[in-house]
Amino acid sequence: MMWFFARDPVRDFPFELIPEPPENGPPGPWVLHRGRKKATGSPVSIFVYDVKPGAEEQTQVAKAAFKRLKTLRHPNILAYIDGLETDKCLHVVTEAVTPLGMYLKARVEAGGLKELELSWGLHQIVKALSFLVNDCSLIHNNVCMAAVFVDRAGEWKLGGLDYMYSAQGNGGGPPHKGIPELEQYDPPELADGSGRAVREKWSADMWRLGCLIWEVFNGPLPRAAALRNPGKVPKSLVPHYCELVGANPKVRPNPARFLQNCRAPGGFMNNRFVETNLFLEEIQIKEPAEKQKFFQELSKSLDSFPEDFCRHKVLPQLLTAFEFGNAGAVVLTPLFKVGKFLCAEEYQQKIIPVVVKMFSSTDRAMRIRLLQQMEQFIQYLDEPTVNTQIFPHVVHGFLDTNPAIREQTVKSMLLLAPKLNEANLNVELMKHFARLQAKDEQGPIRCNTTVCLGKIGSYLSASTRHRVLTSAFSRATKDPFAPSRVAGVLGFAATHNLYSMNDCAHKILPLLCSLTVDPEKSVRDQAFKAIRSFLSKLESVSEDPTQLAEVEKDVHAASSPGMGGAAASWAGWAVTGVSSLTSKLIRAHPTAAPAETNMPQRPTPEGLPAPAPPPAPAASTTSGHGEKQEEDKDTAEDSIAADRWDDEDWGSLEQEAESVLAPQDDWGTGGQASHAGQVSQTNNPNHKSLESDWSSWEAEGSWDQGWQEPSPPEPPPEGTRLASEYNWGGLEPSDKGDPFAALSACREAGAQQRSASWGDDNWEGLETESRQAKAELARKKREERRREMEAKRAEKKVARGPMKLGTRKLD
């Protein structure tokens, strides 16, 4: 014998109720429960009606509502997902919603309810009524607070379709409600039985809309007479509200006209929030130019918009616009602004995949905005993603021809360095830093490279630190750009715990002492501070040799973020302080690469003749014109990349840098001649070919030939007296002169000899004299050509005589 068991349809239903007390649903037979889909766990709302004996009329009303909700589709009507109908119950599954009364109460308690939300919510309900009345010829017959629901994005949905009927009269009249809580919203022409039938088909629903507006701003409606007092209804909405609750049904406006009146200038629904929502609803049919303008202005308004709206409505549209609409860089600012409202898990799922894809873009505007706003998403990036998908694209910025992108790429390394692996940090990144510090034509970028190296020094391996830091900072102290020399000194100070006592005494201190006579006071001041710091360490170890191990504990230690504690206290000094001036310096004070410009000359001691200034190479007219075009181009590109690094307080170096740059017209003895020489060299085609030839990196930028150890100090010239031979206690006779004059002159000669052999390091060898000769020859040829053209024009003028309006005078 075979047994057959009846299947339980409720058990097989793909949705299930969450075991918790039901929510306060609409008055009537339906009970609202929270639910979820069994397969995915996605949240839904489930309306349940239990069939009871003797309640056939209510059962027919519930079945009619089931049918209406299943067949009606509109963005502002509660969305039907699935349903179940049995002899014992009805289940209607919709999108996850909350009753409007509960939503408003929660928002008021949180202190975040704004009129903007209410204006858009009422706009949606009126639009749903317009759809029912004007497009479907249906009367809702149940508009009230209990019939409105709110989804997770804050969108208002019209439900409660139990008592809906046709406006054309077929299918009978309105069904009987039998619930006193709902009958109080009926208009007076139905309640008093006066027989005033002269009304429009929308008159009753518009009266109920007026009741809904009153309840939204004032709370539950106690009685119909309370409608005479608008209470807290906004002043801009009161005239239109009064039309809805007027005793004459003929004057109640059509829902479409009511929307038009409220959207008029100064109206309640005429605001940025409603306009944004209307644009998002039609964004698929908008022109690309309209989308670009919309996204550019969107970020200004997001702060005043509700958080749920930004997360669940704006964010999907931004992601879609980037993925399929080619919106480009304009979506970045609003995208990261909305990203602040997401939790870490949501950020990883929604934002990070888009960010990774953006880094592979070749659009310069997008790349520079990504670099500028990296601090907003770097915390959500894991190390494998940074090393395999982001860093390989970011390093292309080091080779970009636009100085703004190179600068932002250097700055971004401060955020990326802690997440880089051994190869990318100690090999690949150091190659690019060596090239930038030695060859970049922009002084501020060379300065920022030095500063960035000082900040990330604690993350480097011990072998890399020993090989790179001393050489890099030593080279920075010889840079012709004064803030770069300051950065080199501060770099030593920031990483003082990473050097052995031997290196401090034999390599660093001699170098710092030479900077105590630098032409710029800011360099001298920082040099004295650093010298005192290193001397105090040496003195403490000298007094107590047992402290040596403690002082040098970080020298051979593995890379660790904790080692940057000392650097952090010094590291508030330079990146932003100097780079805040970068865009200004790039355009106003272009500087040549270190290999092209010698070190500024030391002040000449008294009693010695001043050295003759070097001849200034003539800057050709063509070169000047080319520089002007390039300057305009850089200005346009830099306007895209607004530098946000000024927002932080990085210490006093910015003021020091400004004091250094104040006498910019005379940086030593070069003055305007130096500037003119830089212009001609920058625009020289040979120079351009040298800068663009990146294929020779292995030969020129390797560590063996890049950041080299500084050469040992030369022995003093013959005849130089030792320090112990001088009479330090008394004054020398005036006829003996300055005892340091000869030594200073010898150092000047030695510095000139070393500058002549600067190209031996393969950083950049330029034949300055041949270039100056070529520039002079080109200038002479242009002058001769100009004279020939002037002579020809003079001959033609004499032969033709006076001209009138393009016609020749006939003899």
Side-chain angles (χ1 to χ4, degrees):
M1 180 180 294
M2 299 182 62
W3 294 90
F4 295 94
F5 296 94
R7 300 183 62 183
D8 186 0
V10 177
R11 182 180 300 173
D12 296 337
F13 195 52
F15 298 89
E16 63 181 356
L17 302 178
I18 296 178
E20 60 181 22
E23 298 181 355
N24 296 327
W30 293 98
V31 179
L32 176 59
H33 294 267
R34 292 178 59 199
R36 57 175 170 249
K37 191 171 184 178
K38 294 179 181 178
T40 62
S42 54
V44 295
S45 290
I46 302 178
F47 292 83
V48 179
Y49 171 74
D50 293 324
V51 178
K52 299 177 181 178
E56 287 78 9
E57 185 178 358
Q58 285 289 348
T59 302
Q60 293 302 319
V61 170
K63 289 183 178 180
F66 189 171
K67 182 180 178 181
R68 291 290 190 187
L69 191 61
K70 190 175 182 178
T71 55
L72 283 173
R73 295 289 182 178
H74 189 269
N76 305 125
I77 293 179
L78 196 60
Y80 172 88
I81 297 178
D82 202 350
L84 174 66
E85 183 176 354
T86 67
D87 296 337
K88 297 182 179 181
C89 65
L90 294 175
H91 285 196
V92 178
V93 182
T94 68
E95 58 186 320
V97 292
T98 303
L100 178 60
M102 294 179 60
Y103 176 81
L104 294 180
K105 182 179 179 182
R107 294 288 290 167
V108 170
E109 291 176 353
L113 186 62
K114 302 177 181 178
E115 281 192 7
L116 293 178
E117 301 177 61
L118 301 179
S119 66
W120 174 241
L122 291 173
H123 185 283
Q124 292 175 296
I125 299 303
V126 178
K127 198 170 182 180
L129 287 176
S130 178
F131 166 74
L132 293 175
V133 172
N134 298 318
D135 299 338
C136 304
S137 295
L138 293 173
I139 305 300
H140 187 275
N141 197 36
N142 191 27
V143 180
C144 61
M145 181 83 76
V148 180
F149 303 88
V150 184
D151 67 5
R152 62 177 186 171
E155 305 279 280
W156 291 17
K157 308 285 184 175
L158 183 61
L161 309 182
D162 305 58
Y163 309 106
M164 183 179 291
Y165 65 96
S166 174
Q168 298 176 350
N170 51 351
H176 177 65
K177 298 179 182 179
I179 302 176
E181 292 88 346
L182 298 179
E183 290 179 350
Q184 69 172 342
Y185 299 107
D186 291 340
E189 61 268 20
L190 296 180
D192 60 11
S194 60
R196 286 180 289 182
V198 182
R199 62 179 185 271
E200 302 292 347
K201 58 183 179 181
W202 57 77
S203 298
D205 276 350
M206 296 307 287
W207 169 275
R208 297 185 181 97
L209 176 64
C211 298
L212 173 64
I213 292 175
W214 194 95
E215 287 189 317
V216 166
F217 291 100
N218 298 290
L221 180 65
R223 57 189 179 278
L227 297 173
R228 299 175 183 174
N229 180 17
K232 298 180 182 179
V233 177
K235 292 182 179 180
S236 58
L237 185 58
V238 168
H240 311 297
Y241 161 79
C242 292
E243 291 180 352
L244 299 178
V245 296
N248 185 359
K250 288 287 292 182
V251 300
R252 296 172 196 158
N254 184 287
R257 188 167 71 86
F258 179 81
L259 276 183
Q260 185 178 357
N261 294 339
C262 292
R263 290 279 296 140
F268 178 67
M269 298 180 185
N270 183 23
N271 54 62
R272 177 64 179 167
F273 188 54
V274 174
E275 292 173 359
T276 300
N277 279 280
L278 293 176
F279 190 95
L280 290 175
E281 288 183 350
E282 303 174 352
I283 193 171
Q284 303 300 332
I285 60 175
K286 296 292 185 180
E287 295 293 330
E290 294 178 301
K291 294 180 184 179
Q292 291 278 331
K293 182 179 179 182
F294 171 77
F295 288 126
Q296 286 175 351
E297 299 174 351
L298 178 61
S299 58
K300 303 176 184 177
S301 307
L302 287 177
D303 293 332
S304 61
F305 290 172
E307 179 179 329
D308 291 338
F309 168 78
C310 296
R311 291 173 55 194
H312 300 294
K313 190 166 184 180
V314 175
L315 180 60
Q317 293 292 347
L318 291 173
L319 298 178
T320 302
F322 172 76
E323 192 75 21
F324 306 107
N326 297 323
V330 292
V331 303
L332 285 177
T333 302
L335 181 65
F336 292 137
K337 212 164 191 178
V338 175
K340 296 178 181 178
F341 301 129
L342 303 180
C343 63
E345 184 178 356
E346 286 181 307
Y347 205 102
Q348 287 284 349
Q349 294 176 354
K350 298 179 179 180
I351 306 292
I352 293 303
V354 177
V355 170
V356 172
K357 187 175 181 180
M358 287 178 176
F359 270 106
S360 62
S361 173
T362 57
D363 182 11
R364 274 181 167 176
M366 179 175 292
R367 287 164 55 195
I368 200 165
R369 290 196 182 186
L370 280 171
L371 295 173
Q372 287 176 337
Q373 304 186 44
M374 185 178 290
E375 59 186 350
Q376 300 189 27
F377 57 85
I378 187 64
Q379 58 182 322
Y380 302 103
L381 296 174
D382 54 21
E383 294 186 7
T385 302
V386 170
N387 286 281
T388 60
Q389 302 182 54
I390 292 182
F391 183 75
H393 297 293
V394 172
V395 292
H396 293 309
F398 290 124
L399 308 178
D400 201 283
T401 56
N402 186 351
I405 293 183
R406 297 201 304 272
E407 180 192 23
Q408 291 297 336
T409 305
V410 171
K411 292 177 179 178
S412 68
M413 293 302 111
L414 294 174
L415 302 172
L416 290 178
K419 297 178 181 287
L420 294 180
N421 57 27
E422 178 79 12
N424 285 337
L425 178 62
N426 293 283
V427 180
E428 187 69 20
L429 180 60
M430 293 299 104
K431 280 185 180 180
H432 290 288
F433 272 19
R435 176 176 293 275
L436 285 176
Q437 194 196 38
K439 293 189 174 183
D440 198 285
E441 61 184 8
Q442 304 296 342
I445 295 179
R446 300 196 303 271
C447 174
N448 284 341
T449 302
T450 304
V451 171
C452 185
L453 183 62
K455 286 199 168 190
I456 68 174
S458 60
Y459 298 104
L460 301 176
S461 64
S463 60
T464 304
R465 293 198 303 264
H466 180 72
R467 186 177 73 252
V468 171
L469 294 184
T470 305
S471 300
F473 296 144
S474 299
R475 177 170 293 278
T477 60
K478 300 179 178 66
D479 196 290
F481 188 59
S484 291
R485 302 199 296 277
V486 173
V489 176
L490 293 174
F492 278 123
T495 55
H496 66 93
N497 59 316
L498 304 179
Y499 307 110
S500 65
M501 293 296 100
N502 258 343
D503 287 345
C504 293
H506 293 93
K507 296 180 181 179
I508 300 176
L509 277 175
L511 186 68
L512 293 176
C513 289
S514 66
L515 294 175
T516 57
V517 290
D518 191 272
E520 301 297 338
K521 188 177 187 302
S522 61
V523 180
R524 299 195 299 270
D525 292 344
Q526 295 298 338
F528 282 119
K529 291 180 182 178
I531 289 172
R532 285 192 290 269
S533 174
F534 281 103
L535 283 177
S536 65
K537 288 183 62 175
L538 291 172
E539 187 175 1
S540 64
V541 173
S542 175
E543 293 293 333
D544 185 5
T546 59
Q547 295 183 8
L548 181 62
E550 177 66 21
V551 172
E552 294 186 350
K553 65 178 182 179
D554 294 336
V555 176
H556 301 290
S559 60
S560 171
M563 293 165 51
S569 61
W570 286 72
W573 28 265
V575 170
T576 302
V578 174
S579 66
S580 61
L581 309 172
T582 301
S583 58
K584 195 186 307 178
L585 291 169
I586 288 174
R587 293 190 291 269
H589 304 287
T591 57
E596 300 173 32
T597 309
N598 292 333
M599 189 72 177
Q601 296 181 0
R602 300 282 198 272
T604 305
E606 295 182 3
L608 290 180
S620 64
T621 307
T622 306
S623 300
H625 178 67
E627 183 184 7
K628 177 63 178 176
Q629 292 179 341
E630 190 70 18
E631 194 173 305
D632 295 340
K633 178 181 177 182
D634 288 344
T635 305
E637 291 174 342
D638 289 346
S639 63
I640 301 174
D643 193 352
R644 301 177 299 100
W645 287 67
D646 295 335
D647 298 339
E648 303 177 19
D649 182 13
W650 293 87
S652 61
L653 187 64
E654 182 167 356
Q655 288 80 9
E656 295 173 359
E658 289 176 353
S659 65
V660 170
L661 296 174
Q664 189 73 22
D665 295 335
D666 185 10
W667 271 60
T669 58
Q672 298 296 331
S674 173
H675 177 73
Q678 293 163 7
V679 172
S680 63
Q681 291 176 9
T682 303
N683 293 276
N684 192 301
N686 296 331
H687 174 76
K688 183 178 180 181
S689 64
L690 286 173
E691 291 287 29
S692 61
D693 186 14
W694 298 107
S695 61
S696 60
W697 164 249
E698 293 299 330
E700 294 180 356
S702 61
W703 287 114
D704 295 337
Q705 299 177 351
W707 282 337
Q708 297 179 350
E709 295 291 337
S711 58
E714 297 182 1
E718 296 182 3
T720 304
R721 297 163 58 189
L722 298 179
S724 59
E725 299 178 14
Y726 290 102
N727 181 18
W728 296 98
L731 297 175
E732 292 282 348
S734 59
D735 56 349
K736 291 185 179 181
D738 186 0
F740 294 99
L743 181 58
S744 178
C746 294
R747 285 190 177 181
E748 284 293 327
Q752 293 176 0
Q753 292 176 2
R754 286 194 296 272
S755 64
S757 61
W758 187 265
D760 296 341
D761 290 338
N762 283 337
W763 288 98
E764 188 170 3
L766 299 178
E767 300 176 359
T768 307
E769 296 181 358
S770 61
R771 294 189 177 194
Q772 294 175 359
K774 290 180 181 179
E776 182 67 20
L777 182 60
R779 188 187 64 79
K780 290 180 179 180
K781 288 183 179 180
R782 286 193 298 275
E783 186 67 21
E784 293 176 1
R785 179 63 177 168
R786 185 181 63 80
R787 291 173 182 172
E788 292 177 2
M789 294 300 295
E790 289 179 355
K792 289 181 180 181
R793 282 196 293 268
E795 292 176 0
K796 291 180 181 179
K797 187 175 181 181
V798 173
R800 292 179 180 179
M803 306 290 288
K804 291 187 178 180
L805 296 178
T807 60
R808 173 177 288 185
K809 181 179 179 182
L810 300 177
D811 296 331

